[in-house]
Amino acid sequence: DSGVTQTPKHLITATGQRVTLRCSPRSGDLSVYWYQQSLDQGLQFLIHYYNGEERAKGNILERFSAQQFPDLHSELNLSSLELGDSALYFCASSVGLAGATDTQYFGPGTRLTVL
Amino acid sequence: GENVEQHPSTLSVQEGDSAVIKCTYSDSASNYFPWYKQELGKRPQLIIDIRSNVGEKKDQRIAVTLNKTAKHFSLHITETQPEDSAVYFCAAKGENTGFQKLVFGTGTRLLVSP
């Protein structure tokens, strides 16, 4: 158990819908990262938040957005869902000191299925 | 930006053999190189990492080597066991990403046969 929690574990929805994925980082970690992993694919970085502020963006679609709240949990919002959005979504957390080689610990993931 | 290439994409070995997975990176300013193991449907788990101020690090049957000049690093697993079967990802982080994100390789599927 990495200490990072994600809810829900599984999510099944229809095309065009909107969903929210939630992540709680390890105690003391200020950084949260979101990744998308499609079937048999690698880990695609989506976005990074540090202490409530967006710090880096990757290949995140405009239909997707995220935020990190004052209690440091983060939510990833996916809207106008398409079949191709079906994937495992992981969040990871780290202590988050800028420039530091801090380790990222991954949560168990949310499996999103769009029908 | 940073680009990480990983080889091979699949690797089959017999139990007890050694396995080597290689990664190259493009950003010479990268200074942190973790390796993650991911079992089917599970989260990536950190198994070992190395920072740019060392050339080699060992943890029991696992070792990682780093060649900064050539910009490549490798994962070595000795005395492989069936439970080592998984997908392994290398990653790099450095200055050109503002140290803000890890860039992952495409993964190596390791199969250890009894």
Side-chain angles (χ1 to χ4, degrees):
Chain A
D1 184 0
S2 66
V4 181
T5 61
Q6 288 186 250
T7 56
K9 272 189 172 180
H10 303 279
L11 201 47
I12 301 175
T13 188
T15 55
Q17 296 298 305
R18 172 189 169 96
V19 297
T20 298
L21 283 52
R22 182 187 170 105
C23 169
S24 292
R26 295 185 320 153
S27 177
D29 284 359
L30 298 178
S31 271
V32 171
Y33 309 79
W34 286 97
Y35 294 88
Q36 179 192 55
Q37 187 176 42
S38 301
L39 188 64
D40 283 343
Q41 297 294 310
L43 291 151
Q44 297 297 318
F45 169 74
L46 295 178
I47 199 163
H48 167 215
Y49 277 83
Y50 172 74
N51 203 19
E53 292 186 8
E54 180 187 305
R55 297 301 292 267
K57 260 186 175 178
N59 300 319
I60 187 166
L61 300 172
E62 286 192 14
R63 300 184 285 109
F64 296 1
S65 64
Q67 54 184 326
Q68 185 179 27
F69 295 86
D71 67 352
L72 300 177
H73 90 271
S74 177
E75 292 180 356
L76 179 67
N77 300 295
L78 316 177
S79 62
S80 302
L81 285 167
E82 302 175 358
L83 296 177
D85 297 327
S86 295
L88 264 172
Y89 290 85
F90 289 103
C91 81
S93 76
S94 71
V95 171
L97 300 173
T101 55
D102 55 334
T103 301
Q104 290 187 23
Y105 295 92
F106 282 77
T110 293
R111 182 174 294 281
L112 173 66
T113 302
V114 183
L115 301 175
Chain B
E2 174 71 281
N3 183 49
V4 177
E5 294 189 359
Q6 184 172 347
H7 300 280
S9 56
T10 58
L11 180 58
S12 294
V13 300
Q14 293 290 316
E15 184 177 0
D17 288 350
S18 293
V20 180
I21 302 170
K22 299 181 179 181
C23 290
T24 59
Y25 60 97
S26 60
D27 179 7
S28 57
S30 290
N31 61 356
Y32 177 60
F33 308 91
W35 286 88
Y36 287 85
K37 174 184 179 182
Q38 187 179 27
E39 297 175 1
L40 190 62
K42 301 286 184 66
R43 65 169 158 243
Q45 289 192 289
L46 179 75
I47 55 171
I48 196 167
D49 57 13
I50 192 168
R51 288 161 175 79
S52 60
N53 58 345
V54 300
E56 184 175 0
K57 184 176 178 181
K58 279 186 180 179
D59 183 2
Q60 300 183 342
R61 297 185 297 108
I62 293 173
V64 57
T65 58
L66 172 65
N67 183 327
K68 288 183 64 181
T69 303
K71 291 190 286 186
H72 68 70
F73 56 112
S74 300
L75 178 71
H76 305 252
I77 305 174
T78 59
E79 300 171 25
T80 54
Q81 301 166 4
E83 50 265 39
D84 293 329
S85 297
V87 178
Y88 291 80
F89 291 98
C90 63
K93 182 163 70 164
E95 186 175 311
N96 282 346
T97 62
F99 302 104
Q100 302 302 329
K101 65 175 185 179
L102 285 171
V103 178
F104 283 87
T106 49
T108 296
R109 185 177 301 277
L110 174 65
L111 177 62
V112 181
S113 303

